[in-house]
């Protein structure tokens, strides 16, 4: 009778075991209505990210037999499948519900129930894990097993439950769970990042992760305040090419592919995450678009003075198609559009290819005469130089006199101060301001120390800038006084 009283008084082995495990795992939640029942979430953070594939809604068991694909089609299928495989480092936890019935541990095994929400773990693996709990209880001589079972589950969770054993293997999960799993992984990574401490590479001060931003591509970390100051300054000054990771030489070790764009600037969505104001991000988008069109030799500009936006032309569309094919590895150097080379003059184009449509105001005009589109059967001539206004001519004359074209992209560059070693604001080419010659990036000043050329010992000419009453002009012509 004394033992029964002790049991009812709270000295039951089951209650002692539950309270002992709760002291080790504070996250263990004991059922308020049943002191012998508890629930705990086992975190799933595999040592190696788990490769998960989300099939496109086709059940493999119900798939109809099809003829074997060609080599080209098979290659395309592999590429599409590879795009659907995601490597996740954080997955929704495995929930363990524990029940210790009467007679446990000597006579009756514990009751374990396992589930995941959403249900991403296969049912067959949940059954195996549940059966392993009874096996451990038997192997331990029918002794207290809750702590050992929780430890076992945490260990197999670290190994990804053995679902992916070799490189190239993956776990298939319903496509309906894709957004939920990707969202959980993203939030878990963010929470882990915010709880850490990092040293900003600009101010060199330690900052909590909640005050920092980690770049999505390279994962370098800087504090939000420094990034906001730097990027706002770049966007305000129009230097959109510097809106990228500030770490020196970041991205230089990545493989370069011929014919592909090497644009390391940040996506506007990432600037909003830092965050930058919507007005600054919109200005960044506008300037980046403008820079892209200005560096494209096929760009034609709207003749309306109040618009002057970029226009769609056959040449631009052909160049875009060529770049798209190049990015897919299908571009061949022999491929040319029907419009000929990119530097073709408008009046050499076939009549049907002279149509241009402004992307900003939708004005359809002729590239040759700049008038509204008159159809391909009307003969027209290029704009008469006499039609150029005095303001336009003065602007052209000033640019010719007080700027030097980049030898790579022909963008006119005007020097405000300093030496004659210039770096193009568009393509970053190094060149001489006096004669527009390419300069060696490793030793750009060799050009000014060579007695064989006309720029010898002229590194610091026009040190105060090119403008106003300075009349040197491109090519070093004029009296330097």
């Amino acid at each position: 009778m004394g033992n029964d009283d002790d049991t009812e008084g709270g000295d039951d082995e089951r209650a002692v075991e539950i309270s002992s495990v709760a002291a080790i795992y504070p996250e263990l939640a004991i059922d308020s209505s049943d002191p012998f029942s508890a629930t705990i979430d086992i975190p799933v953070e595999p040592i190696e990210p788990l490769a998960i594939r989300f099939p496109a809604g086709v059940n493999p068991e119900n798939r109809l037999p099809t003829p074997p694909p060609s080599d080209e089609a098979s290659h395309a299928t592999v590429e599409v499948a590879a795009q659907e495989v995601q490597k996740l480092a954080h997955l929704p936890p495995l929930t363990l519900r524990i029940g210790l019935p009467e007679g446990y541990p000597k006579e009756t095994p514990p009751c374990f129930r396992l589930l995941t929400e959403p249900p991403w773990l296969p049912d067959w693996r949940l059954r195996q894990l549940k059966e392993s709990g009874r096996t451990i209880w038997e192997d331990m001589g029918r002794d207290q097993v809750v702590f050992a079972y929780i430890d076992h589950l945490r260990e197999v969770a670290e190994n990804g439950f053995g679902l992916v054993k070799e490189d190239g293997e993956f776990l298939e999960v319903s496509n309906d769970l894709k957004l939920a799993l990707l969202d959980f992984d993203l939030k878990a990574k963010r929470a882990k990042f915010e709880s850490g401490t990092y040293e900003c590479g600009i101010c060199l001060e330690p900052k909590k992760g909640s005050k920092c931003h980690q770049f999505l591509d390279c994962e370098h970390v800087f504090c939000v305040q420094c990034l906001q100051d730097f990027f706002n300054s770049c966007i305000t000054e129009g230097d959109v090419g510097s809106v990228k990771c500030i770490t020196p030489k970041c991205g230089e070790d990545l493989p370069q592919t011929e014919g592909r764009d090497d644009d390391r600037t940040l996506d506007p969505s990432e600037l909003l995450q830092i965050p930058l104001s919507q007005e600054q991000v919109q200005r960044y988008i506008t300037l980046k678009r403008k820079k892209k069109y200005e560096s494209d030799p096929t760009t034609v500009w709207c003749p309306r003075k109040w618009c002057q936006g970029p226009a769609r032309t056959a040449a631009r569309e052909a160049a875009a198609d060529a770049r798209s094919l190049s990015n897919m590895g299908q571009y061949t150097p022999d491929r040319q559009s029907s419009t000929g080379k990119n530097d073709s003059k408008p009046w050499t184009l076939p009549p049907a290819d002279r149509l241009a449509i402004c992307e900003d105001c939708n004005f359809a005009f002729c590239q040759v005469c700049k008038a509204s589109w008159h159809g391909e059967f009307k003969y027209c001539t290029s704009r008469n130089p006499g039609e150029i206004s005095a303001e336009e001519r003065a602007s052209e004359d000033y640019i010719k006199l007080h700027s030097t074209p980049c030898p790579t992209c022909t963008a006119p560059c005007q020097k405000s101060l300093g030496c004659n070693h210039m770096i193009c604001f568009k393509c970053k080419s190094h060149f001489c301001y006096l004669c527009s010659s390419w300069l060696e990036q490793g030793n750009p000043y060799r050009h000014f120390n060579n007695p064989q050329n006309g720029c010898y010992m002229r590194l610091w000419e026009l040190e105060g800038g090119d403008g106003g009453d300075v009349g040197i002009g491109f090519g070093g012509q004029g009296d330097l006084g």
Side-chain angles (χ1 to χ4, degrees):
M1 293 294 293
N3 291 337
D4 293 340
D5 292 341
D6 291 341
T7 299
E8 294 175 359
D11 291 336
D12 192 300
E13 286 185 79
R14 298 174 293 171
V16 172
E17 182 178 9
I18 288 289
S19 60
S20 299
V21 174
I24 301 173
Y25 297 109
E27 62 270 25
L28 183 74
I30 301 177
D31 192 340
S32 58
S33 61
D34 183 1
F36 309 129
S37 299
T39 304
I40 185 173
D41 287 337
I42 309 295
V44 183
E45 299 177 357
I47 299 175
E48 294 292 333
L50 193 63
I52 297 181
R53 179 172 178 259
F54 301 95
V58 178
N59 189 345
E61 297 179 358
N62 298 332
R63 186 176 296 158
L64 296 175
T66 56
S70 63
D71 292 341
E72 182 178 355
S74 177
H75 180 68
T77 302
V78 171
E79 289 185 347
V80 171
Q83 294 175 359
E84 295 295 328
V85 175
Q86 303 283 345
K87 290 192 174 182
L88 305 183
H90 305 270
L91 290 156
L94 173 66
T95 300
L96 169 62
R97 295 179 179 174
I98 306 166
L100 304 181
E102 185 74 27
Y104 170 85
K106 295 300 182 181
E107 300 176 0
T108 309
C111 296
F112 294 136
R113 183 184 176 193
L114 297 171
L115 57 94
T116 56
E117 182 60 39
W120 64 271
L121 199 59
D123 291 338
W124 61 267
R125 192 67 179 103
L126 290 173
R127 288 193 297 268
Q128 288 180 348
L129 293 173
K130 181 179 179 180
E131 293 169 0
S132 66
R134 184 184 181 95
T135 302
I136 295 174
W137 175 69
E138 295 280 1
D139 293 342
M140 295 183 65
R142 301 193 172 190
D143 200 354
Q144 296 179 353
V145 74
V146 174
F147 173 79
Y149 185 53
I150 293 176
D151 187 62
H152 168 71
L153 293 179
R154 292 172 68 92
E155 182 179 348
V156 295
E158 288 183 354
N159 296 320
F161 299 105
L163 297 172
V164 178
K165 299 180 180 179
E166 299 180 1
D167 292 340
E169 292 185 351
F170 49 80
L171 170 67
E172 279 203 2
V173 177
S174 171
N175 196 54
D176 297 336
L177 305 180
K178 181 177 181 179
L179 291 179
L181 296 187
L182 293 179
D183 183 65
F184 183 90
D185 181 62
L186 182 64
K187 289 181 178 178
K189 288 179 179 178
R190 184 62 192 175
K192 184 177 181 180
F193 174 77
E194 290 181 350
S195 64
T197 302
Y198 306 88
E199 182 181 273
C200 175
I202 300 177
C203 63
L204 303 180
E205 294 183 2
K207 300 287 183 69
K208 293 295 292 183
S210 57
K211 303 295 183 181
C212 296
H213 176 77
Q214 185 178 42
F215 289 117
L216 300 179
D217 290 337
C218 60
E219 299 186 348
H220 291 136
V221 179
F222 297 90
C223 75
V224 169
Q225 186 62 53
C226 289
L227 289 180
Q228 288 177 337
D229 293 343
F230 180 74
F231 289 152
N232 281 329
S233 176
C234 290
I235 296 173
T236 300
E237 296 176 1
D239 185 14
V240 293
S242 296
V243 182
K244 58 185 178 181
C245 179
I246 311 172
T247 303
K249 299 183 178 180
C250 177
E252 291 185 2
D253 55 341
L254 297 177
Q256 301 293 327
T257 305
E258 183 179 356
R260 300 202 179 191
D261 294 335
D262 187 24
D263 186 6
R264 304 289 182 191
T265 56
L266 300 182
D267 190 86
S269 61
E270 186 166 3
L271 293 180
L272 291 173
Q273 294 176 23
I274 290 177
L276 267 61
S277 66
Q278 292 188 3
E279 292 76 13
Q280 282 290 77
V281 175
Q282 185 59 51
R283 173 175 168 80
Y284 170 72
I285 295 172
T286 302
L287 291 175
K288 192 174 179 182
R289 174 175 176 261
K290 183 173 181 290
K291 179 181 177 181
K292 174 185 176 182
Y293 287 135
E294 287 178 345
S295 62
D296 186 353
T298 64
T299 300
V300 176
W301 302 96
C302 177
R304 288 176 168 175
K305 291 184 179 181
W306 55 268
C307 177
Q308 297 184 348
R312 299 190 304 271
T313 64
R316 269 192 55 203
E317 292 178 358
D321 291 342
R323 285 192 295 268
S324 178
L325 290 171
S326 176
N327 290 338
M328 293 188 296
Q330 300 175 1
Y331 177 72
T332 57
D334 297 318
R335 182 183 178 88
Q336 293 183 356
S337 66
S338 61
T339 59
K341 298 181 180 180
N342 289 342
D343 57 353
S344 298
K345 303 302 181 182
W347 55 85
T348 65
L349 296 173
D353 291 340
R354 296 180 181 182
L355 170 64
I357 302 175
C358 178
E359 294 185 354
D360 291 342
C361 68
N362 292 322
F363 177 55
F365 62 95
C366 173
Q367 298 182 53
V368 177
C369 65
K370 305 300 182 183
S372 59
W373 181 240
H374 44 63
E376 58 183 282
F377 299 107
K378 179 180 178 180
Y379 176 78
C380 65
T381 58
S382 59
R383 192 178 182 187
N384 191 327
E387 299 177 13
I388 300 177
S389 66
E391 181 182 356
E392 292 175 327
R393 184 174 297 278
S395 178
E396 291 181 358
D397 292 342
Y398 184 89
I399 292 175
K400 291 179 181 179
L401 184 62
H402 298 296
S403 68
T404 299
C406 170
T408 300
C409 66
T410 69
C413 302
Q414 183 181 26
K415 186 176 74 169
S416 57
L417 55 88
C419 69
N420 288 315
H421 167 214
M422 304 292 291
I423 301 178
C424 179
F425 67 98
K426 285 187 177 180
C427 64
K428 306 303 180 183
S429 295
H430 294 246
F431 66 96
C432 171
Y433 188 75
L434 298 178
C435 66
S436 191
S437 297
W438 279 285
L439 300 183
E440 181 183 352
Q441 185 172 352
N443 185 10
Y445 304 106
R446 179 184 300 175
H447 173 77
F448 302 98
N449 296 328
N450 183 6
Q452 304 297 324
N453 64 50
C455 299
Y456 177 62
M457 300 298 291
R458 301 175 65 186
L459 175 64
W460 291 101
E461 288 185 3
L462 300 176
E463 181 180 358
D466 186 2
D469 57 355
V470 178
I472 182 171
F474 164 60
Q477 300 173 357
D479 185 10
L480 294 176

